Every structure is written in structure tokens, then in C-alpha cells.
Amino acid sequence: MYKGLYTAYTGMINEQHRMDVLTNNLANADTNGFKKEGATSQSFDTVLALKIKDASEPCNVPRNIGNANLGVKIGENYTDYSQGAFKVTGNTYDLAISGDGFFNVEFTNKAGATSTKYTRDGAFVASTDGYLMTKDGDYVLGKAGRIQLSTTAGKTEIDRNGDIYQDGQLKAKLQLTKFEDNNYLTHYGETMWDVKEGAKALDADEAQVHQGYLEMSNISVVKEMVNLITISRQYE
């Protein structure tokens, strides 16, 4: 009786965790560059059940009565890095990446320490002094560091290789990075990633930059709603 209640309890906790992950996906369905997350389940180790203190057994000797499973436990979370659909904006500094790769961002925390973070959200702006920045005020990095453009140029063009031209002159080149194994990436906020020890960064030479586009999240709202109903039923 008690084992059955415990097994049901572990199942409810697991479904609650899956629901948390799913609702976070739905909340970010309209977040540029967001990547869908998922959750896995694992079973507890199977243990051998014993029949003990049973007067019907000769000499009251414990006897094996079979295997018992203790239910389900929460497994690992994972991220789906597949390409999201592109949205046309026509804005000069809205950029999307096709293929493997991330924009490099110089992130500054509240303590003033800077570090490089990685993102697929290319909704950038130009500051009053010409620096290419995220909408949160962090610098976008190029091959030579921070990208500073002319504030008086007539036309700014960014080609598929990430080269930035103003009035026909090459001004900077975007730094695009990919990783040998994305399992070494960890979420930092909604659309940025940080790296763990052991991550191997590579130049994303095959990735292409598309000016005037933004990459949307790779979430299918319809599929997530179906999964939401399924998880609710399983919880019940």
C-alpha cells in the first residue's frame, strides 16, 4: 500500500517537472532566438522484495517474492538547438544566423565584471556613439573586439559572411562561434548561453548572416499545447 502511494508520488513529481519545462517553453514562444527545452525521465533501481516475519513460512525464514520498482525519478533536461523560422523586419541591425553558430556578446554583470556570452537573438541596435549593442546594452563583438560604426554613414550593409560595410567600405566583421559539443553550454537568461569548463569553441565559418531578419523561437505552440494536455491527464 505504502509502496504504491510512493510510486504514484514520484510520478506526480516527474509530471510537475515536465510541466514546468513546458510552460517555460510556451512563455518564450515569441522570444527571439529561444531554443526549446525538454525533460527526460529515469527509473529508480529495481530492488529485490523479501517476504519476512511470515508465520506460514517454515521456520519463519525470509523468502524472495520478486522484484519491486520504486517509481520514476527526474532525468536530465536537454535543449533543442534546431533552427527557428525567420521573421522579416527590414531593420538594418536585425540579424539572423542560418546554420550552427552564435553571436558573441560582451556581457557586464552587476558587479562590473565582463565575460563573453553567446546568443542567437540578433535584435541589435547602434548606440549614439556608433557601437553595435544588444537591446540590454551589451556590446556585440567582432573579430577585432567591440564593433564601432560611423554614425554619419549613408548606408550600412551586412553580408552573409558577417562583413559590415558602410558606404561601400569594410568597417568590421562579426565574430560567429560554434561549439564542438553543445552539451557544454548552459542557459544564461532567456536567450544567452554561457560555457562550462571543457567547452571547445570554433569559428562558425559555414554559418550565414541575414540582415533584416530575426530568428524566432523553434517552439511549435500547437505541439506544446498537446503535450500540456497529455501531462495534465497523466498527473491526474
Side-chain angles (χ1 to χ4, degrees), residues 179-185 195-201:
F179 295 89
E180 190 175 79
D181 187 351
N182 285 340
N183 288 321
Y184 285 94
L185 297 178
V195 294
K196 296 187 289 188
E197 184 178 354
K200 186 175 181 181

Side-chain angles (χ1 to χ4, degrees), residues 10-230:
T10 62
M12 294 171 69
I13 292 297
N14 183 70
E15 296 303 329
Q16 182 177 337
H17 175 70
R18 291 179 61 200
M19 180 70 78
D20 291 341
V21 174
L22 186 149
T23 52
N24 182 62
N25 287 340
L26 285 174
N28 288 283
D30 292 326
T31 301
N32 298 327
F34 183 82
K35 298 303 179 185
K36 175 184 174 181
E37 294 183 303
T40 60
S41 303
Q42 297 177 334
S43 62
F44 283 101
D45 295 335
T46 299
V47 297
L48 188 65
L50 298 176
K51 185 177 182 181
I52 59 176
K53 296 183 179 180
D54 189 342
S56 65
E57 294 293 334
C59 303
N60 197 18
V61 176
R63 180 171 64 86
N64 296 339
I65 59 174
N67 294 328
N69 191 284
L70 300 179
V72 63
K73 62 180 177 180
I74 297 172
E76 297 180 349
N77 286 5
Y78 63 90
T79 302
D80 177 3
Y81 290 97
S82 61
Q83 182 86 44
F86 284 0
K87 175 175 66 177
V88 180
T89 67
N91 296 329
T92 301
Y93 299 113
D94 281 348
L95 307 175
I97 298 175
S98 60
D100 292 336
F102 298 87
F103 297 109
N104 289 230
V105 175
E106 182 184 295
F107 177 78
T108 304
N109 62 20
K110 293 180 179 179
T114 61
S115 60
T116 301
K117 300 291 186 288
Y118 304 91
T119 184
R120 298 277 295 193
D121 181 5
F124 302 139
V125 295
S127 65
T128 55
D129 49 1
Y131 284 102
L132 190 61
M133 310 184 78
T134 69
K135 290 186 176 180
D136 293 326
D138 297 306
Y139 293 99
V140 179
L141 297 178
K143 292 287 188 179
R146 296 177 181 178
I147 298 174
Q148 186 175 23
L149 304 174
S150 171
T151 58
T152 59
K155 188 175 183 180
T156 301
E157 296 177 302
I158 303 173
D159 66 16
R160 297 295 174 87
N161 295 321
D163 294 322
I164 305 176
Y165 295 87
Q166 287 191 303
D167 295 334
Q169 295 185 344
L170 180 63
K171 294 295 184 179
K173 184 179 180 65
L174 288 164
Q175 175 66 51
L176 302 180
T177 302
K178 66 178 181 179
F179 295 89
E180 190 175 79
D181 187 351
N182 285 340
N183 288 321
Y184 285 94
L185 297 178
T186 58
H187 271 287
Y188 194 93
E190 294 177 345
T191 60
M192 289 199 293
W193 282 268
D194 203 355
V195 294
K196 296 187 289 188
E197 184 178 354
K200 186 175 181 181
L202 306 169
D203 288 334
D205 296 327
E206 298 179 359
Q208 293 188 334
V209 177
H210 301 263
Q211 185 180 22
Y213 294 84
L214 288 175
E215 182 184 2
M216 303 171 66
S217 70
N218 62 350
I219 295 167
S220 169
V221 175
V222 174
K223 289 182 180 179
E224 295 301 295
M225 290 302 297
V226 172
N227 291 335
L228 178 68
I229 295 171
T230 301

